[in-house]
Amino acid sequence: ILQHPDGTVLKQLQPPPRGPREQEFYNKVYDSDCCDSILLELREYLPKYFGVWSPPTAPNDTYLKLEDVTRKFNKPCIMDVKIGQKSYDPYASAEKIQQQVSKYPLMEEIGFLVLGMRVYHVSSDSYETQNQHYGRSLTKETVKDGISKFFHSGYCLRKDVVAASIQKVEKILEWFEGQTQLNFYASSLLFVYEGSCQATTVRLGDVTLAEKRRVPKGLLSGGDVLEYNNNINVINSTENGKIEASVNKGLSKFYALHKKACSKRHHSQLSLKVENSEQDNVWKTSTCITQEHLNGNVLPQLEKVFYHVPAETKESANVEVRMIDFAHVFPSNTKDEGYIYGLKNLITVLQNILDN
C-alpha cells in the first residue's frame, strides 16, 4: 500500500482475474448512477473509492485510489481480520483449496482469522506488532485472549473500544442479513482506533468539532486554543458563569460533575470528581481548579485525572471498522452464510472480552 500526496492510499491492482474483479466491485458500489439501496448502504462500511490512478512514469501500473482510514488518528492501532468460513472462492482449484485450508484448518469452525495487528502501548510509547503467524497460532481456546491483545493499551483493556467495535460489526452483520446479492470470500475487516492519550488541539470556533458557545468574559480570548482528548468535548459556559467540562453523557458511570462542591467558592471554579468502580476504587480524585490556574487551558489537568480510566460507552471511543479486500466477491442469490457465521462468532468473542 502506497500513500498519495493528497492523503489517499494506493493499492496496486492485482493480476487478473483478482485485480479487475476488485476494481469492478468498487466501480459497481460507487457508480454515480447507483440507486440500489443495498449497495448505497454498503458504502458506509467500505473505504471511500476515488477511482484508479497510474504514475506518470509507469502508465501501465494501475492502483486503486482509496480513503486512508487511519489518517485521522494520531497513534492508530490497526487489526486485519479475515472473515468467513472459507478463504477460497467457488472457482478455486482443488490445489488452491487445499493450500488455503492447510494455512488455517480452524477457519471453518471459528469463522475468522487474525491476519495481523499493530497496537500502540501508552506505557512504553511503542508499538507491538503481530503477523499472520500469530493469528494462525490461535485456537478456539486462545482466540479470545489473542484478540484482546489488540485492545490493551499497556495500562488497561480499552473496553470503550471493544464496545464501539461490537456496535460497528453488528451494523455490518445487519447489512449481510438483509442482502442476497453478493458473497464475499477472503475479505477482511479493518479495525482502527486511537491509541494515544495525548490531547489534540481544537479551536472553539471550529464548528466541525464543537458547537460555538458563549464563553465568560475574560476566560478565553477569541483565538485561544483549548486542548481536549477523546473524553471531553468542549468547555461550556453555564448560567451562573461557572465552567464545566462537557463530558460525553455515557461516561456518567465513571465521571460525575459536582457543581455543588464548589458553589460556595469563586464563581468560576470547577469541581470534578472521578471514581473508578471497576478497579476497586484504587484511587479517587476530587479537584477544584480556580480561574487563575486555568489560563484558558483546563484540559491538561483534567487529562491527568481521566488518564487511566477507560470509558465504558460505545459512543465514546473513536473507532473505525471497514470492510476491505474484494478480489473474491461474486454475485449471488442467497445470503452469505459463511461471512455471517464469521461475523457472529467474532461478535461473540468481542462480547466475551467485554464481559470478562
Side-chain angles (χ1 to χ4, degrees), residues 158-354:
R158 289 290 303 276
K159 287 193 171 187
D160 58 325
V161 176
V162 181
S165 298
I166 291 171
Q167 187 183 45
K168 289 182 179 291
V169 177
E170 283 176 340
K171 291 291 290 181
I172 294 172
L173 175 60
E174 281 180 27
W175 182 84
F176 270 91
E177 293 278 21
Q179 71 90 24
T180 55
Q181 294 186 30
L182 298 168
N183 280 3
F184 295 73
Y185 301 90
S187 185
S188 291
L189 291 185
L190 186 73
F191 292 76
V192 189
Y193 72 89
E194 179 57 68
S196 172
C197 284
Q198 293 178 355
T200 55
T201 58
V202 53
R203 293 190 179 275
L204 275 182
D206 188 347
V207 293
T208 62
L209 292 175
E211 178 185 348
K212 287 184 178 179
R213 300 180 184 273
R214 279 176 44 197
V215 180
K217 186 177 180 181
L219 180 62
L220 292 173
S221 59
D224 282 348
V225 174
L226 291 175
E227 289 190 18
Y228 99 128
N229 62 19
N230 289 338
N231 294 328
I232 301 174
N233 299 326
V234 69
I235 297 297
N236 295 341
S237 59
T238 57
E239 291 179 5
N240 62 1
K242 293 191 302 179
I243 65 166
E244 71 177 27
S246 173
V247 181
N248 190 304
K249 61 182 180 182
L251 302 181
S252 57
K253 180 178 177 183
F254 288 113
Y255 313 142
L257 285 168
H258 293 274
K259 298 179 183 178
K260 293 181 181 178
C262 287
S263 61
K264 294 182 181 179
R265 297 192 181 96
H266 192 277
H267 73 276
S268 66
Q269 289 178 332
L270 174 145
S271 175
L272 181 65
K273 186 176 180 182
V274 182
E275 295 185 4
N276 183 357
S277 57
E278 286 271 307
Q279 298 182 7
D280 298 321
N281 293 323
V282 171
W283 57 269
K284 294 182 180 182
T285 303
S286 182
T287 179
C288 284
I289 309 168
T290 62
Q291 181 174 332
E292 291 76 35
H293 294 99
L294 289 173
N295 295 323
N297 198 343
V298 68
L299 274 303
Q301 292 149 78
L302 296 185
E303 192 181 11
K304 292 174 185 175
V305 177
F306 287 148
Y307 192 71
H308 296 292
V309 187
E312 284 280 358
T313 59
K314 294 179 181 179
E315 56 272 5
S316 63
N318 191 1
V319 178
E320 292 286 354
V321 179
R322 305 287 186 94
M323 297 169 60
I324 58 170
D325 297 338
F326 306 111
H328 303 276
V329 179
F330 296 90
S332 173
N333 55 11
T334 61
K335 284 186 181 181
D336 191 341
E337 297 295 350
Y339 202 104
I340 288 172
Y341 177 89
L343 289 176
K344 287 181 174 178
N345 263 17
L346 180 57
I347 289 170
T348 299
V349 170
L350 293 175
Q351 192 64 54
N352 286 339
I353 292 170
L354 187 64

